[in-house]
Amino acid sequence: MTNFQIEINHSEHKKEKPESSELVFGRVFTDHMFIMDYTAGDGWHSARIVPYQPIALDPASMIFHYGQSVFEGLKAYWTKDEKVLLFRPDRNFHRLNQSNDRLCIPHIDEEHALQALKELINIDREWVPKAEGTSLYIRPFVIATEPFLGVAPAKRYQFIIILSPVGSYYKEGIQPVKIAVEQQFVRAVQGGTGTAKTGGNYASSLKAQEVSSQNGYSQVLWLDGKEKKYIEEVGSMNVFFKIDGEVITPALNGSILNGVTRSSIIELLQHWNVTVTERRISMDEIKEAYKAGKLEEAFGTGTAAVISPIGEFFWQDEQMIINEGNTGELSKKLYDTLTGIQKGEIEDPFKWVQEVELRHAVSFR
Ligand code: COI
């Protein structure tokens, strides 16, 4: 690894920490944050950990006008033997660079990003929550900071990592969620930005999300942008179906997000010798399976949501109640195993977790 120096400025005012058992998703932030700047010609520089604070940006900064930004989401977990574990962080930083590519943002050294993250978590280690179902959500993101109103890739950026102790993403927790199948709006088309983690994908999902939540649904299920026939993903999760014993998930087709939890679930199922297939699957097929009594389970997967059982789909004015609205056996087993591995309570045959060492080496203070 090349020499990477991080300047550290400790916060003098420690914030009050919330009770672990009262945590929701994404409302509370820790005492510090990581920042690094990019300037064309100089590359990434000035890596620093500073007290968590607002950032001052020129109102002409390109992020505000053309949305040139990418982000990631990953988690750290507190274990019973007082270790802090990260789940597949290398995957997230790799995907950050894939998103950077799509958005014409310069690559970040993935090892440096991981080193910075471990350093930051170490400083804010006491913020990793301990209660059942909680974790430290990590949000790395890059924004275009050059003040310029022309439409072009920016020449200046900031890479920032913030940390948030969280509870479950959905108010339902591990209870099944109700999902409306979106028939009017689309999330992404092939050739678009659907595979990138960029804010615009989420901004354009809000309208459909708003309508569905007014009707009592937690999220929408997106269909393909061309024929509105084939299943893509759920608002903030990839989606899986168990039909007649076989697990099926939409194949990565150029408009679906390549979820880290998605690929972990596929690997886990293969490890258990459960048939799991990545292929194109239509809503018609789901309905047929439902009518034939073969739609046994459905669940979403994502870092924020972990495994979220789906108890109902609403499509073409009809409800499909899955497994009588209860969490399926396989969904529960996947949830228990994945969270067990993440928290170091179950053996990790895949080497997915890595420890944030208590005294991670600090390059520069
Ligand atoms: C995640 O699961 O980390 C995500 O990025 C979803 C987020 C939009 C809440």
Side-chain angles (χ1 to χ4, degrees):
M1 195 194 298
T2 51
N3 191 25
F4 176 57
Q5 299 203 324
I6 304 171
E7 190 179 332
I8 294 172
N9 175 5
H10 286 272
S11 169
E12 281 172 13
H13 308 284
K14 297 280 155 56
K15 292 185 260 188
E16 202 175 311
K17 296 183 187 60
E19 283 294 321
S20 270
S21 54
E22 283 165 20
L23 287 170
V24 293
F25 183 83
R27 295 271 180 202
V28 176
F29 302 94
T30 66
D31 287 321
H32 296 88
M33 62 202 242
F34 172 81
I35 309 193
M36 179 162 76
D37 302 316
Y38 177 91
T39 320
D42 295 334
W44 288 104
H45 59 88
S46 309
R48 56 207 185 270
I49 290 173
V50 295
Y52 188 95
Q53 61 194 282
I55 47 175
L57 290 180
D58 192 301
S61 294
M62 292 168 87
I63 173 59
F64 297 135
H65 305 277
Y66 309 121
Q68 199 192 4
S69 73
V70 297
F71 72 93
E72 269 303 322
L74 64 157
K75 281 178 173 172
Y77 303 84
W78 187 264
T79 71
K80 286 198 176 117
D81 50 356
E82 315 223 318
K83 287 182 186 154
V84 175
L85 300 180
L86 282 167
F87 184 72
R88 310 189 83 178
D90 44 323
R91 285 290 194 115
N92 291 88
F93 289 123
H94 185 63
R95 190 174 61 183
L96 185 76
N97 272 336
Q98 290 175 329
S99 302
N100 279 340
D101 256 359
R102 182 64 183 84
L103 273 288
C104 293
I105 296 174
H107 274 207
I108 287 165
D109 184 306
E110 292 167 30
E111 285 188 30
H112 289 175
L114 184 53
Q115 187 184 334
L117 173 61
K118 287 183 173 171
E119 195 75 69
L120 178 64
I121 292 179
N122 228 350
I123 290 172
D124 280 344
R125 203 177 177 89
E126 288 167 17
W127 282 88
V128 183
K130 301 186 173 102
E132 181 69 29
T134 64
S135 56
L136 186 72
Y137 186 76
I138 300 155
R139 173 53 60 88
F141 60 103
V142 185
I143 50 173
T145 53
E146 184 190 359
F148 177 46
L149 296 184
V151 179
K155 293 191 171 62
R156 280 162 50 182
Y157 299 89
Q158 280 192 325
F159 171 50
I160 301 176
I161 306 177
I162 54 173
L163 308 174
S164 172
V166 297
S168 67
Y169 186 71
Y170 294 113
K171 65 173 176 9
E172 290 88 342
I174 175 72
Q175 296 310 311
V177 291
K178 288 164 62 176
I179 305 279
V181 181
E182 179 54 40
Q183 293 178 267
Q184 184 186 0
F185 300 106
V186 297
R187 173 185 175 273
V189 289
Q190 283 174 28
T193 56
T195 55
K197 247 178 136 49
T198 183
N201 290 341
Y202 296 80
S204 68
S205 76
L206 296 177
K207 190 72 197 169
Q209 173 66 38
E210 189 180 61
V211 175
S212 76
S213 75
Q214 279 160 1
N215 294 328
Y217 291 89
S218 306
Q219 294 263 309
V220 299
L221 176 73
W222 297 106
L223 301 181
D224 73 281
K226 206 168 156 194
E227 297 178 70
K228 293 194 195 139
K229 195 169 167 189
Y230 298 101
I231 294 164
E232 299 250 303
E233 60 180 79
V234 179
S236 56
M237 308 185 284
N238 292 112
V239 66
F240 288 73
F241 303 91
K242 182 166 171 255
I243 299 177
D244 205 12
E246 178 188 4
V247 179
I248 302 165
T249 190
L252 301 176
N253 60 356
S255 54
I256 295 175
L257 189 81
N258 183 1
V260 177
T261 314
R262 175 188 181 278
S263 59
S264 308
I265 290 304
I266 293 172
E267 285 175 63
L268 206 46
L269 290 168
Q270 286 167 341
H271 184 69
W272 291 340
N273 291 322
V274 174
T275 310
V276 52
T277 314
E278 294 175 76
R279 67 166 168 86
R280 199 160 79 152
I281 180 162
S282 67
M283 246 350 261
D284 287 319
E285 190 181 335
I286 295 297
K287 183 139 186 208
E288 231 169 80
Y290 176 71
K291 284 198 162 155
K294 292 182 176 171
L295 178 57
E296 293 156 357
E297 293 185 38
F299 56 91
T301 66
T303 297
V306 197
I307 308 278
S308 183
I310 297 172
E312 177 187 330
F313 285 116
F314 185 76
W315 186 53
Q316 294 182 334
D317 298 327
E318 276 186 56
Q319 283 177 312
M320 291 183 233
I321 310 284
I322 303 162
N323 196 31
E324 295 172 358
N326 298 316
T327 300
E329 214 176 288
L330 184 66
S331 313
K332 176 83 173 67
K333 185 173 167 195
L334 285 166
Y335 177 87
D336 289 343
T337 309
L338 190 67
T339 54
I341 291 175
Q342 289 168 335
K343 289 188 293 186
E345 285 162 14
I346 290 183
E347 202 212 322
D348 171 19
F350 311 97
K351 307 257 180 294
W352 282 340
V353 291
Q354 25 179 306
E355 189 180 345
V356 180
E357 303 281 347
L358 188 53
R359 281 181 209 285
H360 187 69
V362 174
S363 325
F364 174 77
R365 277 178 208 268

